[in-house]
Amino acid sequence: RAGGSGAAAGAPSLVGEPVVQVASWVDLGDFEWGHCRRSKMPKAPRSHYDHITKKLVLNMDHYCPWMFNVVGYMNYRYFVNFLLWVLVACVYGIGLTLQPFLSYAKRHRRVVVGAIRLNMSKRDSVSYTFVIALSVGTAVGLLFFWHLYLVATAQTTIEFYGNQSRAYRARVRGERYRNPYDLGSPRKNWEQVFGPGNPFLAILPSAREPPLPPWPRPDTPREFIQVV
C-alpha cells in the first residue's frame, strides 16, 4: 500500500499549495507526488488506486485472482516467483508424461483426435495430465517471460502502457523518451525487485523486505496535484 507513514511524510501539504488537476497519471512528473481523490490519500510516484481492494498501491501491476490480492511493490517478487515455480512444475509434469502420451496417441489416434472419453484408466490419466500441464505451462510461461521483461526494464504492466503513450508524445516533439526508473542495465533493474546477490538464491522463497523503495527524490516539485 502506498499510503503509510513514509508516504505521508514526503507528501506535499494541502495548505497554501497550488492545486493543479490532470486528466491522467501519465501527465504527472516522474517523481511528482499527487493526491488520490478516491482514497483521499497522498499519491506517491508509481502508485495507483486498485478498484477491487479499494487501496492505493505502490508499484501496482494488476489484481491477480489466483493470489486473491493486488500485485504491487510489497509482493511483486512473490508473484514472479509464483509464475516461475508453476512453470517449473508444468515442465516437470510434461517431462514425466510426454513419452507415455506419445506412445498412447500412436495406438489410439481416433481417441485423441476425436471426442475424449471419460475413461479414468491409467493411460487416460497420463494423457489428461500431459494436456493440462502443457496448456497451463504455455499460458504461465508466456506470462512469466512477459514479467521477466518488465523486471529487466524497470516497469509494471500499467507503466508499460503509460510509457508507450509518453514515448509517442516525445516522438511527436522530436525527442526521445527514457524510462526514469530504469537504472541502465537488466541486472540493476533485477536488483530493484529481487535485491543484490546471487540471482539463483534470490528466486528461493524468503520473507525479506523488497529492496530499494522507489520514493520520490528530495527535489520533487512542491506542487499539489489532484488526479481526476
Side-chain angles (χ1 to χ4, degrees):
R1 181 173 176 173
S5 59
S13 171
L14 306 185
V15 180
E17 298 289 347
V19 177
V20 179
Q21 290 192 347
V22 295
S24 170
W25 65 271
V26 179
D27 299 319
L28 291 171
D30 300 320
F31 296 93
E32 276 185 313
W33 284 76
H35 183 266
C36 178
R37 64 182 179 86
R38 296 184 178 89
S39 63
K40 310 299 182 185
M41 298 182 64
K43 187 177 184 297
R46 308 190 74 182
S47 63
H48 300 277
Y49 181 79
D50 177 45
H51 294 269
I52 298 179
T53 60
K54 309 297 182 183
K55 295 179 179 179
L56 193 60
V57 182
L58 184 63
N59 284 29
M60 178 181 170
D61 190 272
H62 68 286
Y63 182 86
C64 178
W66 303 106
M67 298 177 64
F68 201 61
N69 198 3
V70 61
V71 177
Y73 171 70
M74 296 299 295
N75 62 357
Y76 185 60
R77 175 167 58 91
Y78 302 122
F79 173 74
V80 177
N81 279 344
F82 165 74
L83 296 178
L84 170 63
W85 293 112
V86 170
L87 176 61
V88 170
C90 289
V91 171
Y92 178 70
I94 292 172
L96 288 179
T97 57
L98 176 60
Q99 183 59 37
F101 176 80
L102 294 178
S103 177
Y104 182 56
K106 289 179 180 179
R107 293 195 297 269
H108 301 273
R109 291 181 181 274
R110 293 182 180 178
V111 176
V112 175
V113 176
I116 298 179
R117 299 176 302 174
L118 296 178
N119 183 349
M120 294 307 294
S121 67
K122 292 182 179 180
R123 294 180 183 271
D124 287 340
S125 298
V126 168
S127 299
Y128 299 151
T129 301
F130 172 80
V131 172
I132 292 174
L134 180 62
S135 303
V136 175
T138 300
V140 173
L142 292 174
L143 189 59
F144 169 71
F145 286 109
W146 163 249
H147 281 279
L148 199 62
Y149 164 77
L150 293 178
V151 170
T153 54
Q155 302 179 90
T156 65
T157 300
I158 296 177
E159 290 172 351
F160 172 80
Y161 293 105
N163 288 338
Q164 296 296 309
S165 177
R166 288 173 169 174
Y168 172 76
R169 295 180 185 181
R171 287 195 299 270
V172 171
R173 297 191 302 265
E175 302 171 353
R176 182 178 180 183
Y177 177 77
R178 182 180 182 275
N179 179 12
Y181 311 120
D182 189 345
L183 297 183
S185 73
R187 178 61 182 267
K188 291 181 180 179
N189 293 333
W190 167 276
E191 292 177 352
Q192 288 191 88
V193 178
F194 289 88
N198 191 322
F200 294 101
L201 297 179
I203 63 176
L204 296 178
S206 69
R208 54 190 167 85
E209 294 289 331
L212 299 175
W215 299 115
R217 300 178 302 188
D219 58 346
T220 301
R222 297 289 296 173
E223 187 175 48
F224 179 72
I225 300 172
Q226 171 130 1
V227 180
V228 295

